[in-house]
């Protein structure tokens, strides 16, 4: 995934990195690679912290890819720190770079993932890569489709969480076996940070 992400950052780095006078031209490639690595690490962090709902919402288009998006906010801090530490940007300049570039990159990642003619980005491969292979047995495209239809809130509590995902696999939602942790799908908890 990182190579595809680097290419995506290169494609949209224009004013934020390539034409940015605060990043020396000889360090443009390094800045692109660091940006891609920060985005990948940030996405992994969102998933590891239980943000599967936020990621699915972003990839399905249920939430816009703006600076207000929880995924964008989660990644912003790490990318700002990278720009300040590695390239000497002050907080304001790093914030401006991240604020202008990150939503564009993530928006393009989402768009390219949805494009059936683009084999470079596949939602299943992205989630498998971000989870270290923990999602390889799950149908991420199917989950995304159900989220688009609003059919993931299995326990009727108004949100989509681990309980709902477990309910999809066990046929229930808010039932005693999943509440008590007797469900064989408790292994999912590690993947979702619970």
């Amino acid at each position: 995934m990182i190579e595809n992400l680097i290419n995506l950052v290169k494609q949209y780095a224009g004013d934020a990195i390539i034409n940015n006078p605060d990043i020396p031209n000889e360090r443009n490639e390094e800045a692109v690679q660091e940006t891609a690595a920060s985005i990948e690490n940030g996405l992994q962090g969102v998933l590891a912290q239980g943000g599967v709902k936020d990621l699915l919402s972003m990839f399905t288009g249920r939430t816009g890819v703006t600076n207000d998006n929880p995924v964008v906010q989660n990644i912003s801090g790490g990318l700002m720190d990278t720009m300040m530490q590695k390239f000497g940007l002050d907080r304001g300049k790093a914030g401006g770079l991240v604020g202008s570039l990150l939503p564009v990159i993530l928006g393009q990642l989402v768009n390219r993932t949805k494009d059936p003619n683009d084999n470079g980005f596949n939602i299943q491969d992205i989630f498998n890569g971000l989870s270290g292979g923990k999602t390889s047995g799950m149908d991420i495209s199917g989950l995304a489709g159900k989220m688009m239809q609003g059919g993931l809130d299995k326990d009727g509590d108004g949100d989509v969480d681990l309980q709902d995902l477990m309910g999809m696999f066990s046929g229930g939602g808010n039932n005693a076996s999943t509440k008590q942790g007797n469900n064989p799908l408790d292994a999912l908890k590690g993947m979702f940070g619970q």
Side-chain angles (χ1 to χ4, degrees):
M1 177 177 148
I2 191 68
E3 286 304 316
N4 288 337
L5 203 47
I6 287 171
N7 290 332
L8 195 58
V9 173
K10 277 183 189 175
Q11 190 175 355
Y12 293 95
D15 290 336
I17 294 176
I18 308 301
N19 301 325
N20 188 335
D22 296 311
I23 298 176
N25 287 338
E26 64 272 11
R27 297 191 70 193
N28 285 344
E29 184 66 29
E30 179 187 357
V32 166
Q33 290 178 3
E34 290 292 339
T35 299
S38 289
I39 292 171
E40 182 179 41
N41 291 337
L43 290 170
Q44 287 172 333
V46 169
L47 192 59
Q49 295 167 9
V52 70
K53 176 183 128 187
D54 291 333
L55 280 177
L56 282 173
S57 291
M58 183 180 81
F59 277 100
T60 59
R62 289 191 73 175
T63 58
V65 186
T66 65
N67 286 314
D68 294 333
N69 183 299
V71 174
V72 175
Q73 289 177 349
N74 197 300
I75 297 170
S76 290
L79 183 52
M80 278 181 58
D81 288 344
T82 296
M83 290 298 147
M84 291 186 298
Q85 292 170 7
K86 299 215 177 210
F87 301 98
L89 272 65
D90 65 32
R91 181 165 285 287
K93 289 179 180 178
L97 183 151
V98 170
S100 67
L101 184 60
L102 187 57
V104 172
I105 299 299
L106 291 177
Q108 288 302 315
L109 178 64
V110 167
N111 291 340
R112 299 216 17 214
T113 301
K114 289 178 177 180
D115 184 353
N117 298 318
D118 190 337
N119 296 329
F121 294 96
N122 172 292
I123 194 166
Q124 186 71 48
D125 293 341
I126 289 171
F127 272 75
N128 288 347
L130 295 175
S131 70
K134 293 179 184 177
T135 59
S136 62
M138 300 178 76
D139 178 11
I140 300 299
S141 295
L143 287 173
K146 285 187 182 263
M147 179 169 254
M148 286 295 294
Q149 299 166 1
L152 288 181
D153 185 12
K154 296 296 183 186
D155 61 7
D157 65 355
D159 68 357
V160 179
D161 53 18
L162 178 61
Q163 227 32 62
D164 296 307
L165 293 176
M166 290 173 64
M168 282 176 34
F169 295 107
S170 66
N174 196 7
N175 63 39
S177 66
T178 56
K179 285 274 185 210
Q180 296 169 353
N182 297 334
N183 191 303
L185 297 170
D186 282 339
L188 285 173
K189 287 183 180 178
M191 184 180 77
F192 297 103
Q194 293 186 5

